[in-house]
Amino acid sequence: MAASQRLGVRSWWSQFSSSATRIKSAPPLFGNGTTHSKRLGGISSDGGLSRKLGLADLILLGIGASIGAGIFVVTGTVAHDAGPAVVVSFALAATACVPNALSYAELSSRFPALVGGAYMYSYSTFNELTAFLVFCHLMLDYHIGAASITRSLASYLVTSLQVSIVLMVIAVGSFEVDTSNWTPFTPNGLTPVITGATVVFFAYVGFDAVANSAEECKNPQRDLPIGILVSLFVCAGLYVAVCFVVTGMVPYINLGGDAPLANAFMDKGLNFVSILISVGAVCGLTTTVLVGLYVQSRLYLGLGRDGLLPAFFAKIDAHHQTPVTAQVWVGSVAAILAGFFNVSHLSHILSVGCLASYSIVCACVVMLRINTENQWQDGEDQLPQKGLTRWNEAVLCMLGISLCGFLVGLCYRTGGPVTYEIVLLVIMGLLLIPLLTRQEYRRPSGFACPWVPLLPVLSIGFNMFLFAQLHWEAWVRFGVVTAIAVLVYAFYGQYNATTNASSGEHSPLYHQASVEDLDT
């Protein structure tokens, strides 16, 4: 009996390991859009989502997904701890997001017209379980973000356009700036500024929203990279300008957590401006909530198609050509969370999913550029067949750099000896050497992230440094969500994933742009 049970456990573990390491076939690295479509079966958008988004739509989508969350919601929360240096928090988060956005831009060009974003990229690069974990963590960030924005939306309604309102804040508020409010600039030291950067990191989620709109984009291979980068830089500029003005108008300690902009103008006696801001905030936050729910529904659509979630999430309304069931679900979750939590508590567990997911996206860029063993022209450069493959070697190096980046962050956070940080940075440098010298990287035909592998790998290390600065509640959330996600995958996902049983390869369920679309 005991032997039979052990055999059953081994059999289950074998099946779990096999399922977890499945990958989705990635499109070729080279060639034009026509080649992409033909090699993956030439599936058109018929029966899928409607292609109506142009470049301007994508840029506005990215800005709309970010501005409301960053300016109208978390500004006051972060400023309460970081002081006027909240400006640095936003700037630091923007700096960290630039290489992440460049990585997204390359992958959005490499995977034209494929819905799924970071989930899809990790599915095609690493494995099924990693992709499911990316979805779960990123999705929870979206759910929490939508809930916190909804809470703030209610606050602005009680006190009672978006990009115009932001400009008005800068224009009117600049005349009310008292430079003495910027002193001291970092009242609680540098640590809250770094922690604040991890909180506002979610405020730059717009480029992920753009990437997830691929299946509804008219010309995805050209427009997605541009939309991702332009929306990021526009948002960063607006964030920094607004934070300078607001923290200069009133002492940072007086900024309200739920409606900081309106409160700032009320403190100056500009009630009429406060009313306008509240009206604009309602419009802006409504846009941000809708964009966030839009992105979430498309992610649920992707997993429903792949069988990792129930198939009803993949149902598309014949008339509206939208995933109605997924939209109802994500809206309900946001409403429930908003009813039970406040903005401060929600913001403490934000960004953990984004930091982890963006790091994996950067790793995807590196791994998809690496030539496999049989692609090396010089056979003597190959590693022994019984040793590590170059692919595995690269993965181990990036994991080591991630760990070192996290430990450097912990040392900084806890005030550990600088010597430890220097040693860890040296180790990171040593782990980077094989990635620079022992790998051969090829350039994709579309948009290419510069300085691969250096830029994506350094981005991974910096993301993990920021990960170490998160509130302890975020770490608890990360562990709990990971455990739950593995259990859901183990008892549901692995058995229902849509695969070709004979070959073990996934069916090309993601709708691709037609040849005409990609050649436009």
Side-chain angles (χ1 to χ4, degrees), residues 18 61 88 153 227 235 294 307 315 325 328 339-340 408 413 421 450:
S18 176
L61 184 72
V88 179
L153 176 60
C235 291
Y294 161 84
K315 184 178 180 181
T325 304
V328 172
F340 286 95
V408 169
R413 179 173 182 168
E421 298 178 29

Side-chain angles (χ1 to χ4, degrees), residues 92-174:
L92 186 61
T95 302
C97 280
V98 169
N100 293 316
L102 290 170
S103 296
Y104 260 94
E106 174 172 322
L107 294 178
S108 69
S109 177
R110 175 176 166 80
F111 293 78
L114 300 179
V115 70
Y119 159 76
M120 178 61 185
Y121 306 151
S122 56
Y123 206 158
S124 300
T125 307
F126 293 106
N127 54 58
E128 191 169 280
L129 180 57
T130 299
F132 188 68
L133 290 173
V134 166
F135 163 80
C136 291
H137 283 292
L138 196 57
M139 185 52 55
L140 188 55
D141 266 3
Y142 272 113
H143 282 315
I144 294 172
S148 62
I149 293 169
T150 303
R151 291 275 303 200
S152 191
L153 176 60
S155 297
Y156 278 105
L157 280 171
V158 169
T159 63
S160 309
L161 12 196
Q162 181 182 354
V163 179
S164 59
I165 290 296
V166 171
L167 295 177
M168 186 191 71
V169 169
I170 297 172
V172 177
S174 59

Side-chain angles (χ1 to χ4, degrees), residues 292-365:
L293 297 179
Y294 161 84
V295 175
Q296 294 173 54
S297 64
R298 271 56 181 177
L299 283 170
Y300 275 101
L301 168 64
L303 271 83
R305 286 174 174 173
D306 280 344
L308 294 174
L309 289 178
F312 59 77
F313 285 119
K315 184 178 180 181
I316 296 178
D317 182 81
H319 178 67
H320 299 287
Q321 291 186 297
T322 58
V324 176
T325 304
Q327 290 171 329
V328 172
W329 165 258
V330 297
S332 301
V333 172
I336 293 172
L337 289 177
F340 286 95
F341 300 95
N342 61 44
V343 173
S344 178
H345 290 159
L346 291 174
S347 66
H348 285 176
I349 58 175
L350 264 176
S351 298
V352 59
C354 290
L355 285 167
S357 300
Y358 293 175
S359 297
I360 292 177
V361 168
C362 291
C364 288
V365 169

